[in-house]
Amino acid sequence: MIDELPGYVCPLDGTRADVATARWCCPACGGPWDLDFTPDPAVPLEPAAGPWSLWRYAPVLPLAGEIPVSLGEGHTPLVPLTDRIHAKLDFLMPTLSFKDRGAVMLVELARRLGPERVVADSSGNAGTAFAAYCARAGLRCEVFVPEGTSEKKTERMRAHGAAVRIVPGGREAAARAAREAADAPGVFYASHVFNPYFLHGTKTYVYEVWEQLGGRLPEVLVLPVGNGTLLLGAALAVEELSRRGVRAPALIGVQTEAVAPLAAAFAAGADDAEPVAQRPTLAEGIAIPAPPRARQILAAVRKSGGAIVTVPDDRLRAALADLARRGLSVEPTAAACWAAVSQPSPTNPLHSRTAVLPLCGASGPLGNPGPTAA
């Protein structure tokens, strides 16, 4: 079965590697991998005949055969917010965030490869997702988190049996610690940024929107962008569905005004993003100063005819409160998209177009949410 796993390819220099023996990053440039996998558009896609989960899209997923690792993830509701805007409730996932879409793919991949342990780094929701799915798969899991991570988040990880390593410093310090551990023998690094199998899990978000809208997509997909794992997954799905004759939407990435390297690069017409300072913001999950896949994110948005916009914290607060009044208690990463969409302005790239946005992570009490790095 391992022989059937699609291999890795570097998007920058074309380096190829076998998934069973490859290092977690490209050995030539140190960048993240893409996957050498393109679904055949001639293969029928009949999701209604599949299970009530993201595995109903098995013909377009890179893991063939029986899938024993599942918690019923995916197929989340699509509900209207206005007559032209729908929200997809990905906070109704088994671990309360969209990260389950990618986590189930990486953990199933790890199960097939048979490592001694799985290592991940996270500021919250990704770590919880990996801990839960590793528990489901019977795999040892170790999550590196930055100091200051919500105790509720780390408690959930430990409840699933994961070993939690608290790292002094911020999010990047936790990532460095995980990568050092990942170089040890017998370790699988479940990186939601560097491993492309994660992106092929998040792409099911768009396949579900396509199914739920009766075989079409909206004019615009609005997506929170930090590391870009949801947006790049969406771009994969849009490209794959376009080969099946589906009209492609524009991709609108949303960043917090406080930490917006991608928005700055997009506005400047740059191919890559320069690192920016880490500044405090409500939307901690998308406050990524130096996204490793910045080039790919910018290229995908431009190819779609989209844009990358920013929202300030005061609009985030207003959007959180407005969603709560509609019965939807979500975290700021999700509220960032609603803040961008609901801003009344004729120059807004979202003005008067049909759109779908994700409510991608659940919140605790209003004003005390946990981060979901998108």
Side-chain angles (χ1 to χ4, degrees), residues 63-97:
L63 294 172
E66 183 183 357
I67 307 295
V69 179
S70 178
L71 292 168
E73 58 287 327
H75 212 58
T76 55
L78 188 69
V79 300
L81 293 178
T82 72
D83 59 352
R84 63 180 179 85
I85 300 168
H86 282 73
K88 189 155 173 59
L89 309 189
D90 259 24
F91 65 85
L92 297 180
M93 287 285 196
T95 76
L96 309 182
S97 87

PDB file of all heavy atoms in Angstrom, residues 63-97:
ATOM      1  N   LEU A  63      -5.189   9.273  -0.886  1.00  0.00           N
ATOM      2  CA  LEU A  63      -5.091   8.044  -0.094  1.00  0.00           C
ATOM      3  C   LEU A  63      -6.177   7.079  -0.540  1.00  0.00           C
ATOM      4  O   LEU A  63      -7.352   7.230  -0.189  1.00  0.00           O
ATOM      5  CB  LEU A  63      -5.234   8.362   1.401  1.00  0.00           C
ATOM      6  CG  LEU A  63      -4.106   9.195   2.006  1.00  0.00           C
ATOM      7  CD1 LEU A  63      -4.449   9.601   3.433  1.00  0.00           C
ATOM      8  CD2 LEU A  63      -2.789   8.443   1.978  1.00  0.00           C
ATOM      9  N   ALA A  64      -5.777   6.098  -1.320  1.00  0.00           N
ATOM     10  CA  ALA A  64      -6.725   5.134  -1.858  1.00  0.00           C
ATOM     11  C   ALA A  64      -6.902   3.973  -0.886  1.00  0.00           C
ATOM     12  O   ALA A  64      -6.079   3.749   0.002  1.00  0.00           O
ATOM     13  CB  ALA A  64      -6.237   4.617  -3.206  1.00  0.00           C
ATOM     14  N   GLY A  65      -7.985   3.217  -1.059  1.00  0.00           N
ATOM     15  CA  GLY A  65      -8.215   2.026  -0.264  1.00  0.00           C
ATOM     16  C   GLY A  65      -9.047   2.308   0.973  1.00  0.00           C
ATOM     17  O   GLY A  65      -9.594   3.401   1.160  1.00  0.00           O
ATOM     18  N   GLU A  66      -9.125   1.327   1.854  1.00  0.00           N
ATOM     19  CA  GLU A  66      -9.926   1.444   3.064  1.00  0.00           C
ATOM     20  C   GLU A  66      -9.349   2.514   3.986  1.00  0.00           C
ATOM     21  O   GLU A  66      -8.140   2.610   4.164  1.00  0.00           O
ATOM     22  CB  GLU A  66      -9.960   0.104   3.796  1.00  0.00           C
ATOM     23  CG  GLU A  66     -10.841   0.105   5.033  1.00  0.00           C
ATOM     24  CD  GLU A  66     -10.801  -1.220   5.769  1.00  0.00           C
ATOM     25  OE1 GLU A  66     -10.136  -2.149   5.280  1.00  0.00           O
ATOM     26  OE2 GLU A  66     -11.418  -1.307   6.842  1.00  0.00           O
ATOM     27  N   ILE A  67     -10.217   3.310   4.581  1.00  0.00           N
ATOM     28  CA  ILE A  67      -9.793   4.403   5.460  1.00  0.00           C
ATOM     29  C   ILE A  67     -10.288   4.116   6.877  1.00  0.00           C
ATOM     30  O   ILE A  67     -11.432   4.427   7.227  1.00  0.00           O
ATOM     31  CB  ILE A  67     -10.350   5.756   4.966  1.00  0.00           C
ATOM     32  CG1 ILE A  67      -9.998   5.999   3.502  1.00  0.00           C
ATOM     33  CG2 ILE A  67      -9.843   6.888   5.846  1.00  0.00           C
ATOM     34  CD1 ILE A  67      -8.532   6.143   3.227  1.00  0.00           C
ATOM     35  N   PRO A  68      -9.459   3.513   7.726  1.00  0.00           N
ATOM     36  CA  PRO A  68      -9.915   3.195   9.080  1.00  0.00           C
ATOM     37  C   PRO A  68      -9.867   4.374  10.049  1.00  0.00           C
ATOM     38  O   PRO A  68     -10.482   4.326  11.107  1.00  0.00           O
ATOM     39  CB  PRO A  68      -8.941   2.093   9.519  1.00  0.00           C
ATOM     40  CG  PRO A  68      -7.691   2.385   8.756  1.00  0.00           C
ATOM     41  CD  PRO A  68      -8.123   2.989   7.454  1.00  0.00           C
ATOM     42  N   VAL A  69      -9.104   5.419   9.725  1.00  0.00           N
ATOM     43  CA  VAL A  69      -8.988   6.566  10.629  1.00  0.00           C
ATOM     44  C   VAL A  69     -10.012   7.622  10.232  1.00  0.00           C
ATOM     45  O   VAL A  69      -9.858   8.321   9.239  1.00  0.00           O
ATOM     46  CB  VAL A  69      -7.575   7.168  10.591  1.00  0.00           C
ATOM     47  CG1 VAL A  69      -7.499   8.378  11.527  1.00  0.00           C
ATOM     48  CG2 VAL A  69      -6.542   6.135  10.991  1.00  0.00           C
ATOM     49  N   SER A  70     -11.069   7.730  11.016  1.00  0.00           N
ATOM     50  CA  SER A  70     -12.077   8.749  10.742  1.00  0.00           C
ATOM     51  C   SER A  70     -12.901   8.981  11.996  1.00  0.00           C
ATOM     52  O   SER A  70     -13.147   8.059  12.776  1.00  0.00           O
ATOM     53  CB  SER A  70     -12.996   8.319   9.597  1.00  0.00           C
ATOM     54  OG  SER A  70     -13.993   9.296   9.357  1.00  0.00           O
ATOM     55  N   LEU A  71     -13.295  10.229  12.178  1.00  0.00           N
ATOM     56  CA  LEU A  71     -14.208  10.592  13.258  1.00  0.00           C
ATOM     57  C   LEU A  71     -15.489  11.214  12.694  1.00  0.00           C
ATOM     58  O   LEU A  71     -16.202  11.933  13.374  1.00  0.00           O
ATOM     59  CB  LEU A  71     -13.523  11.573  14.224  1.00  0.00           C
ATOM     60  CG  LEU A  71     -12.367  11.001  15.055  1.00  0.00           C
ATOM     61  CD1 LEU A  71     -11.595  12.127  15.742  1.00  0.00           C
ATOM     62  CD2 LEU A  71     -12.887  10.012  16.087  1.00  0.00           C
ATOM     63  N   GLY A  72     -15.739  10.944  11.398  1.00  0.00           N
ATOM     64  CA  GLY A  72     -16.914  11.516  10.758  1.00  0.00           C
ATOM     65  C   GLY A  72     -16.733  12.965  10.365  1.00  0.00           C
ATOM     66  O   GLY A  72     -17.696  13.722  10.259  1.00  0.00           O
ATOM     67  N   GLU A  73     -15.485  13.356  10.123  1.00  0.00           N
ATOM     68  CA  GLU A  73     -15.154  14.743   9.795  1.00  0.00           C
ATOM     69  C   GLU A  73     -15.709  15.153   8.432  1.00  0.00           C
ATOM     70  O   GLU A  73     -15.855  14.343   7.533  1.00  0.00           O
ATOM     71  CB  GLU A  73     -13.630  14.937   9.819  1.00  0.00           C
ATOM     72  CG  GLU A  73     -12.864  14.029   8.881  1.00  0.00           C
ATOM     73  CD  GLU A  73     -12.800  12.585   9.361  1.00  0.00           C
ATOM     74  OE1 GLU A  73     -12.765  12.370  10.582  1.00  0.00           O
ATOM     75  OE2 GLU A  73     -12.812  11.686   8.484  1.00  0.00           O
ATOM     76  N   GLY A  74     -16.002  16.431   8.304  1.00  0.00           N
ATOM     77  CA  GLY A  74     -16.459  16.966   7.029  1.00  0.00           C
ATOM     78  C   GLY A  74     -17.970  17.010   6.909  1.00  0.00           C
ATOM     79  O   GLY A  74     -18.718  16.715   7.843  1.00  0.00           O
ATOM     80  N   HIS A  75     -18.416  17.418   5.714  1.00  0.00           N
ATOM     81  CA  HIS A  75     -19.840  17.540   5.389  1.00  0.00           C
ATOM     82  C   HIS A  75     -20.555  18.444   6.391  1.00  0.00           C
ATOM     83  O   HIS A  75     -21.651  18.150   6.859  1.00  0.00           O
ATOM     84  CB  HIS A  75     -20.503  16.171   5.319  1.00  0.00           C
ATOM     85  CG  HIS A  75     -21.618  16.122   4.306  1.00  0.00           C
ATOM     86  ND1 HIS A  75     -21.435  16.404   2.965  1.00  0.00           N
ATOM     87  CD2 HIS A  75     -22.939  15.850   4.454  1.00  0.00           C
ATOM     88  CE1 HIS A  75     -22.586  16.294   2.335  1.00  0.00           C
ATOM     89  NE2 HIS A  75     -23.513  15.968   3.206  1.00  0.00           N
ATOM     90  N   THR A  76     -19.925  19.571   6.697  1.00  0.00           N
ATOM     91  CA  THR A  76     -20.488  20.531   7.644  1.00  0.00           C
ATOM     92  C   THR A  76     -21.559  21.393   6.968  1.00  0.00           C
ATOM     93  O   THR A  76     -21.555  21.572   5.747  1.00  0.00           O
ATOM     94  CB  THR A  76     -19.389  21.432   8.213  1.00  0.00           C
ATOM     95  OG1 THR A  76     -18.674  22.052   7.140  1.00  0.00           O
ATOM     96  CG2 THR A  76     -18.415  20.612   9.056  1.00  0.00           C
ATOM     97  N   PRO A  77     -22.489  21.941   7.739  1.00  0.00           N
ATOM     98  CA  PRO A  77     -23.606  22.693   7.153  1.00  0.00           C
ATOM     99  C   PRO A  77     -23.162  23.975   6.442  1.00  0.00           C
ATOM    100  O   PRO A  77     -22.161  24.594   6.811  1.00  0.00           O
ATOM    101  CB  PRO A  77     -24.484  23.027   8.364  1.00  0.00           C
ATOM    102  CG  PRO A  77     -24.075  22.074   9.427  1.00  0.00           C
ATOM    103  CD  PRO A  77     -22.624  21.790   9.191  1.00  0.00           C
ATOM    104  N   LEU A  78     -23.966  24.352   5.463  1.00  0.00           N
ATOM    105  CA  LEU A  78     -23.809  25.630   4.762  1.00  0.00           C
ATOM    106  C   LEU A  78     -25.085  26.418   5.018  1.00  0.00           C
ATOM    107  O   LEU A  78     -26.175  25.993   4.643  1.00  0.00           O
ATOM    108  CB  LEU A  78     -23.612  25.384   3.270  1.00  0.00           C
ATOM    109  CG  LEU A  78     -23.236  26.584   2.394  1.00  0.00           C
ATOM    110  CD1 LEU A  78     -21.826  27.060   2.714  1.00  0.00           C
ATOM    111  CD2 LEU A  78     -23.333  26.215   0.911  1.00  0.00           C
ATOM    112  N   VAL A  79     -24.937  27.570   5.697  1.00  0.00           N
ATOM    113  CA  VAL A  79     -26.130  28.326   6.094  1.00  0.00           C
ATOM    114  C   VAL A  79     -26.046  29.755   5.557  1.00  0.00           C
ATOM    115  O   VAL A  79     -24.961  30.330   5.452  1.00  0.00           O
ATOM    116  CB  VAL A  79     -26.295  28.352   7.628  1.00  0.00           C
ATOM    117  CG1 VAL A  79     -26.419  26.940   8.175  1.00  0.00           C
ATOM    118  CG2 VAL A  79     -25.142  29.076   8.298  1.00  0.00           C
ATOM    119  N   PRO A  80     -27.184  30.366   5.219  1.00  0.00           N
ATOM    120  CA  PRO A  80     -27.163  31.740   4.712  1.00  0.00           C
ATOM    121  C   PRO A  80     -26.960  32.761   5.828  1.00  0.00           C
ATOM    122  O   PRO A  80     -27.498  32.615   6.921  1.00  0.00           O
ATOM    123  CB  PRO A  80     -28.543  31.897   4.065  1.00  0.00           C
ATOM    124  CG  PRO A  80     -29.415  30.929   4.806  1.00  0.00           C
ATOM    125  CD  PRO A  80     -28.535  29.778   5.183  1.00  0.00           C
ATOM    126  N   LEU A  81     -26.157  33.775   5.520  1.00  0.00           N
ATOM    127  CA  LEU A  81     -26.028  34.944   6.392  1.00  0.00           C
ATOM    128  C   LEU A  81     -26.799  36.122   5.811  1.00  0.00           C
ATOM    129  O   LEU A  81     -27.356  36.936   6.532  1.00  0.00           O
ATOM    130  CB  LEU A  81     -24.557  35.313   6.580  1.00  0.00           C
ATOM    131  CG  LEU A  81     -23.686  34.313   7.354  1.00  0.00           C
ATOM    132  CD1 LEU A  81     -22.241  34.797   7.403  1.00  0.00           C
ATOM    133  CD2 LEU A  81     -24.217  34.083   8.762  1.00  0.00           C
ATOM    134  N   THR A  82     -26.777  36.236   4.471  1.00  0.00           N
ATOM    135  CA  THR A  82     -27.581  37.219   3.744  1.00  0.00           C
ATOM    136  C   THR A  82     -28.095  36.515   2.497  1.00  0.00           C
ATOM    137  O   THR A  82     -27.852  35.319   2.296  1.00  0.00           O
ATOM    138  CB  THR A  82     -26.758  38.457   3.336  1.00  0.00           C
ATOM    139  OG1 THR A  82     -25.858  38.090   2.279  1.00  0.00           O
ATOM    140  CG2 THR A  82     -25.959  39.018   4.515  1.00  0.00           C
ATOM    141  N   ASP A  83     -28.749  37.264   1.622  1.00  0.00           N
ATOM    142  CA  ASP A  83     -29.274  36.631   0.404  1.00  0.00           C
ATOM    143  C   ASP A  83     -28.172  36.231  -0.570  1.00  0.00           C
ATOM    144  O   ASP A  83     -28.406  35.449  -1.495  1.00  0.00           O
ATOM    145  CB  ASP A  83     -30.280  37.552  -0.289  1.00  0.00           C
ATOM    146  CG  ASP A  83     -29.683  38.903  -0.675  1.00  0.00           C
ATOM    147  OD1 ASP A  83     -28.537  39.180  -0.259  1.00  0.00           O
ATOM    148  OD2 ASP A  83     -30.354  39.667  -1.386  1.00  0.00           O
ATOM    149  N   ARG A  84     -26.938  36.727  -0.381  1.00  0.00           N
ATOM    150  CA  ARG A  84     -25.858  36.376  -1.308  1.00  0.00           C
ATOM    151  C   ARG A  84     -24.632  35.765  -0.623  1.00  0.00           C
ATOM    152  O   ARG A  84     -23.687  35.368  -1.297  1.00  0.00           O
ATOM    153  CB  ARG A  84     -25.422  37.614  -2.106  1.00  0.00           C
ATOM    154  CG  ARG A  84     -24.853  38.730  -1.258  1.00  0.00           C
ATOM    155  CD  ARG A  84     -24.438  39.946  -2.071  1.00  0.00           C
ATOM    156  NE  ARG A  84     -23.928  41.001  -1.221  1.00  0.00           N
ATOM    157  CZ  ARG A  84     -22.670  41.088  -0.792  1.00  0.00           C
ATOM    158  NH1 ARG A  84     -21.787  40.163  -1.158  1.00  0.00           N
ATOM    159  NH2 ARG A  84     -22.286  42.083  -0.012  1.00  0.00           N
ATOM    160  N   ILE A  85     -24.657  35.693   0.697  1.00  0.00           N
ATOM    161  CA  ILE A  85     -23.490  35.206   1.442  1.00  0.00           C
ATOM    162  C   ILE A  85     -23.880  34.012   2.308  1.00  0.00           C
ATOM    163  O   ILE A  85     -24.846  34.077   3.078  1.00  0.00           O
ATOM    164  CB  ILE A  85     -22.896  36.314   2.337  1.00  0.00           C
ATOM    165  CG1 ILE A  85     -22.458  37.507   1.485  1.00  0.00           C
ATOM    166  CG2 ILE A  85     -21.716  35.780   3.142  1.00  0.00           C
ATOM    167  CD1 ILE A  85     -22.135  38.754   2.279  1.00  0.00           C
ATOM    168  N   HIS A  86     -23.123  32.931   2.167  1.00  0.00           N
ATOM    169  CA  HIS A  86     -23.319  31.748   2.990  1.00  0.00           C
ATOM    170  C   HIS A  86     -22.088  31.524   3.875  1.00  0.00           C
ATOM    171  O   HIS A  86     -20.966  31.865   3.490  1.00  0.00           O
ATOM    172  CB  HIS A  86     -23.534  30.504   2.128  1.00  0.00           C
ATOM    173  CG  HIS A  86     -24.913  30.394   1.567  1.00  0.00           C
ATOM    174  ND1 HIS A  86     -25.358  31.194   0.539  1.00  0.00           N
ATOM    175  CD2 HIS A  86     -25.948  29.563   1.887  1.00  0.00           C
ATOM    176  CE1 HIS A  86     -26.613  30.871   0.243  1.00  0.00           C
ATOM    177  NE2 HIS A  86     -26.992  29.887   1.049  1.00  0.00           N
ATOM    178  N   ALA A  87     -22.314  30.944   5.030  1.00  0.00           N
ATOM    179  CA  ALA A  87     -21.229  30.555   5.933  1.00  0.00           C
ATOM    180  C   ALA A  87     -21.216  29.034   6.051  1.00  0.00           C
ATOM    181  O   ALA A  87     -22.263  28.402   6.180  1.00  0.00           O
ATOM    182  CB  ALA A  87     -21.421  31.174   7.307  1.00  0.00           C
ATOM    183  N   LYS A  88     -20.026  28.466   5.994  1.00  0.00           N
ATOM    184  CA  LYS A  88     -19.874  27.026   6.172  1.00  0.00           C
ATOM    185  C   LYS A  88     -19.384  26.776   7.598  1.00  0.00           C
ATOM    186  O   LYS A  88     -18.348  27.301   8.014  1.00  0.00           O
ATOM    187  CB  LYS A  88     -18.907  26.452   5.143  1.00  0.00           C
ATOM    188  CG  LYS A  88     -18.878  24.937   5.141  1.00  0.00           C
ATOM    189  CD  LYS A  88     -18.426  24.395   3.793  1.00  0.00           C
ATOM    190  CE  LYS A  88     -18.243  22.892   3.830  1.00  0.00           C
ATOM    191  NZ  LYS A  88     -19.491  22.174   4.196  1.00  0.00           N
ATOM    192  N   LEU A  89     -20.120  25.964   8.329  1.00  0.00           N
ATOM    193  CA  LEU A  89     -19.899  25.826   9.772  1.00  0.00           C
ATOM    194  C   LEU A  89     -18.870  24.744  10.083  1.00  0.00           C
ATOM    195  O   LEU A  89     -19.182  23.695  10.641  1.00  0.00           O
ATOM    196  CB  LEU A  89     -21.217  25.530  10.481  1.00  0.00           C
ATOM    197  CG  LEU A  89     -22.396  26.469  10.161  1.00  0.00           C
ATOM    198  CD1 LEU A  89     -23.560  26.188  11.098  1.00  0.00           C
ATOM    199  CD2 LEU A  89     -21.975  27.932  10.221  1.00  0.00           C
ATOM    200  N   ASP A  90     -17.615  25.036   9.770  1.00  0.00           N
ATOM    201  CA  ASP A  90     -16.563  24.060  10.026  1.00  0.00           C
ATOM    202  C   ASP A  90     -16.186  23.971  11.504  1.00  0.00           C
ATOM    203  O   ASP A  90     -15.393  23.115  11.876  1.00  0.00           O
ATOM    204  CB  ASP A  90     -15.318  24.370   9.176  1.00  0.00           C
ATOM    205  CG  ASP A  90     -15.234  23.471   7.954  1.00  0.00           C
ATOM    206  OD1 ASP A  90     -16.283  22.959   7.518  1.00  0.00           O
ATOM    207  OD2 ASP A  90     -14.122  23.266   7.429  1.00  0.00           O
ATOM    208  N   PHE A  91     -16.756  24.834  12.346  1.00  0.00           N
ATOM    209  CA  PHE A  91     -16.517  24.674  13.773  1.00  0.00           C
ATOM    210  C   PHE A  91     -17.329  23.500  14.340  1.00  0.00           C
ATOM    211  O   PHE A  91     -17.191  23.154  15.517  1.00  0.00           O
ATOM    212  CB  PHE A  91     -16.820  25.964  14.545  1.00  0.00           C
ATOM    213  CG  PHE A  91     -18.265  26.397  14.523  1.00  0.00           C
ATOM    214  CD1 PHE A  91     -19.168  25.889  15.438  1.00  0.00           C
ATOM    215  CD2 PHE A  91     -18.706  27.341  13.612  1.00  0.00           C
ATOM    216  CE1 PHE A  91     -20.495  26.295  15.438  1.00  0.00           C
ATOM    217  CE2 PHE A  91     -20.026  27.763  13.596  1.00  0.00           C
ATOM    218  CZ  PHE A  91     -20.933  27.229  14.514  1.00  0.00           C
ATOM    219  N   LEU A  92     -18.144  22.860  13.496  1.00  0.00           N
ATOM    220  CA  LEU A  92     -18.888  21.669  13.922  1.00  0.00           C
ATOM    221  C   LEU A  92     -18.138  20.377  13.613  1.00  0.00           C
ATOM    222  O   LEU A  92     -18.723  19.301  13.616  1.00  0.00           O
ATOM    223  CB  LEU A  92     -20.270  21.658  13.252  1.00  0.00           C
ATOM    224  CG  LEU A  92     -21.183  22.826  13.643  1.00  0.00           C
ATOM    225  CD1 LEU A  92     -22.512  22.726  12.925  1.00  0.00           C
ATOM    226  CD2 LEU A  92     -21.392  22.881  15.150  1.00  0.00           C
ATOM    227  N   MET A  93     -16.843  20.494  13.374  1.00  0.00           N
ATOM    228  CA  MET A  93     -15.990  19.320  13.177  1.00  0.00           C
ATOM    229  C   MET A  93     -15.808  18.581  14.516  1.00  0.00           C
ATOM    230  O   MET A  93     -16.051  19.139  15.588  1.00  0.00           O
ATOM    231  CB  MET A  93     -14.625  19.764  12.652  1.00  0.00           C
ATOM    232  CG  MET A  93     -14.643  20.227  11.208  1.00  0.00           C
ATOM    233  SD  MET A  93     -14.771  18.814  10.102  1.00  0.00           S
ATOM    234  CE  MET A  93     -14.287  19.587   8.571  1.00  0.00           C
ATOM    235  N   PRO A  94     -15.320  17.329  14.467  1.00  0.00           N
ATOM    236  CA  PRO A  94     -15.135  16.568  15.711  1.00  0.00           C
ATOM    237  C   PRO A  94     -14.288  17.272  16.764  1.00  0.00           C
ATOM    238  O   PRO A  94     -14.586  17.189  17.954  1.00  0.00           O
ATOM    239  CB  PRO A  94     -14.473  15.277  15.237  1.00  0.00           C
ATOM    240  CG  PRO A  94     -15.010  15.083  13.857  1.00  0.00           C
ATOM    241  CD  PRO A  94     -15.125  16.468  13.286  1.00  0.00           C
ATOM    242  N   THR A  95     -13.219  17.988  16.353  1.00  0.00           N
ATOM    243  CA  THR A  95     -12.413  18.712  17.346  1.00  0.00           C
ATOM    244  C   THR A  95     -12.635  20.217  17.260  1.00  0.00           C
ATOM    245  O   THR A  95     -11.831  21.001  17.752  1.00  0.00           O
ATOM    246  CB  THR A  95     -10.906  18.388  17.222  1.00  0.00           C
ATOM    247  OG1 THR A  95     -10.344  19.058  16.103  1.00  0.00           O
ATOM    248  CG2 THR A  95     -10.664  16.889  17.109  1.00  0.00           C
ATOM    249  N   LEU A  96     -13.705  20.630  16.616  1.00  0.00           N
ATOM    250  CA  LEU A  96     -14.202  22.012  16.615  1.00  0.00           C
ATOM    251  C   LEU A  96     -13.421  22.965  15.725  1.00  0.00           C
ATOM    252  O   LEU A  96     -13.486  24.180  15.915  1.00  0.00           O
ATOM    253  CB  LEU A  96     -14.268  22.575  18.047  1.00  0.00           C
ATOM    254  CG  LEU A  96     -14.997  21.711  19.082  1.00  0.00           C
ATOM    255  CD1 LEU A  96     -15.025  22.424  20.436  1.00  0.00           C
ATOM    256  CD2 LEU A  96     -16.407  21.375  18.623  1.00  0.00           C
ATOM    257  N   SER A  97     -12.691  22.454  14.725  1.00  0.00           N
ATOM    258  CA  SER A  97     -12.047  23.353  13.771  1.00  0.00           C
ATOM    259  C   SER A  97     -11.832  22.662  12.433  1.00  0.00           C
ATOM    260  O   SER A  97     -11.852  21.428  12.344  1.00  0.00           O
ATOM    261  CB  SER A  97     -10.705  23.875  14.300  1.00  0.00           C
ATOM    262  OG  SER A  97      -9.647  22.990  13.975  1.00  0.00           O
TER     263      SER A  97
END
